[in-house]
Amino acid sequence: MNVCIFIVNGNGTGRAMARKPTETPGVDDLEGLRSFLREEADKTPASRLSVYERIRLLLPEIDALFAKRRTRAEVCELLNSRGFSMSLGTFSQYYARAKRESEGEPDGERKPTEKNHEPAVNNEANTPSSPAANTTPSGAGTKPEEAHTPDLRPRNRDI
């Protein structure tokens, strides 16, 4: 059984096309497809290196280029000319991660910064129960030299 398809163009005209229906593959076809896919799986290398893994393996050579004053853009362009396909931003991120990993940080993760956990200086204003902490100075919220002075200009309603 043939199927007829009518294709309409943008201007309202169209044409009819006959198309054979697709048949579901039989058991013989499935076995042939399975053997084909097995052969393809055998031909394919067990693991292909990702872009990051290749950069990590090339890290000494990339560092040597940087030591010779090559820029990241130049190194990225060199790698892209030899089969890589990545942007400068991606290269920069992969390089930084590989560099951190090579310096002994696990999985290229950054170390958390050490926080200074020293207690604040104990004075009257720092303790919430002290009377000095609960009072507001005159000219609240301003510096002493910026004390509030009233505006002496007339307002619109006063004119």
Side-chain angles (χ1 to χ4, degrees), residues 57-97:
L57 293 172
L58 295 171
L59 194 60
E61 290 79 10
I62 293 171
D63 284 339
L65 287 171
F66 288 150
K68 300 282 185 179
R69 312 292 285 167
R70 300 298 285 267
T71 65
R72 286 186 183 211
E74 291 171 332
V75 174
C76 181
E77 189 177 321
L78 286 170
L79 292 172
N80 283 336
S81 71
R82 298 294 293 202
F84 282 73
S85 179
M86 65 184 153
S87 68
L88 177 59
T90 300
F91 169 69
S92 295
Q93 286 181 341
Y94 286 174
Y95 173 76
R97 182 175 155 204

Side-chain angles (χ1 to χ4, degrees), residues 116-120:
N116 190 0
H117 294 290
E118 294 177 16

